[in-house]
Amino acid sequence: MILRQLRDDPADTEAVREISDAAFGALTPDSTRVPTEAQAAFQRARAGHLAATDPQGCWLAVQDGAAIGFALSMRREGLWVLALTAVLPQYQGQGVGRLLLERAQEHGRGCLRGMITVSVDPAAARRYRRAGFTLHPTMRLSGQLDRSALRDTGELPVHRGNHTHLHLLDSIDRRLRDAAHGVDHELMLRHYDELLVVDTVTGTGYCYRDGGTVKLLAATTRHIATRLLREALAAVPEGAEAKVEWLTAEQEWAVDVGLDVGLTVENHGYLALRGMRPPAPYLPSGGFL
Ligand SMILES: CC(C)(COP(=O)(O)OP(=O)(O)OC[C@H]1O[C@@H](n2cnc3c(N)ncnc32)[C@H](O)[C@@H]1OP(=O)(O)O)[C@@H](O)C(=O)NCCC(=O)NCCS
């Protein structure tokens, strides 16, 4: 087996998508779950984006000419983020994941802080704890929305966001987690359904939503975060399952919103952090954190 850098080309980005589907499909009890074409396109686009922005953070494990595993990581202003890693089920438990993680972590050398959203795979939790990360257990909110509980959305004005808000988004990121998402916002703007922004004299915040899922939320006050989350949930398409993930105990404001609008709360995965506490009020995305 060899490790080589991931390339921003269709063969490599498709390999990442296929390995992800196989590895995460094996983790979910309902293996009939088929990713939509939009989700597949996002997987490929994200792999290509990170291969281009962080070539030394993105690695492919190749055996007999075929890709069997990958790790996608990035460095953003002193924060190292592992966006995604997976190994084909038939090659798991043989040390491939450890080698990929070690190689990706070399890219994060010199970063004092690190962040990973961790799946329910116990092997993943073991790997990240062994790599020095603190595992913060997370909750997930999901279900059909009680729309009658969403009617009163409050006074704060919420606007649709776009490219003109990039500096604002980066400022909020720096305040919350000491590191902007920078170029990653451009990809999220292109692929996610909606960006919502609050920009008032009392504070600021933003939130991405894609279909029924709230993808990333950062705000300078809990009041603004709550308003953004309710507004994002109100925009979830009729009949779609709503989902908000990776809530550590610091995000009780979001748990309360979820309970108010009829969502179910359950344990699901971890937020693995190094050199930092969970940012708050903040909901990381599974994709760019
Ligand atoms: C997580 C993943 C990338 C690890 O890759 P891998 O090649 O299987 O990892 P390794 O073989 O290097 O290491 C797995 C470790 O977990 C341990 N492990 C495996 N199954 C386990 C289980 N059920 N419970 C506890 N530990 C387990 C192994 O013993 C090994 O630990 P060790 O090296 O200290 O002995 C891979 O299993 C995977 O693709 N999982 C599904 C997708 C996923 O969850 N990705 C992570 C997203 S955060």
Side-chain angles (χ1 to χ4, degrees), residues 130-178:
R130 284 287 194 245
F133 282 78
T134 298
L135 299 173
H136 298 266
T138 48
M139 294 166 267
R140 173 170 71 183
L141 298 162
S142 63
Q144 290 294 323
L145 291 161
D146 171 4
R147 288 183 189 269
S148 63
L150 274 167
R151 265 187 221 125
D152 176 24
T153 48
E155 297 297 312
L156 274 172
V158 179
H159 305 287
R160 288 291 289 262
N162 56 39
H163 282 93
T164 64
H165 295 102
L166 289 178
H167 288 304
L168 179 72
L169 306 185
D170 281 345
S171 302
I172 299 168
D173 290 339
R174 288 192 185 104
R175 164 96 173 252
L176 266 289
R177 40 170 244 166
D178 275 340

Side-chain angles (χ1 to χ4, degrees), residues 42 49 169 173 181-195 206 208-210 215-216 285 287-289:
F42 177 73
H49 168 81
L169 306 185
D173 290 339
H181 282 87
V183 285
D184 306 326
H185 279 301
E186 284 164 28
L187 194 90
M188 289 190 270
L189 271 174
R190 254 199 319 280
H191 282 266
Y192 293 156
D193 287 342
E194 184 172 55
L195 168 67
Y206 73 87
Y208 287 98
R209 177 191 59 81
D210 195 38
K215 284 290 183 182
L216 171 64
S285 77
F288 284 110
L289 292 92

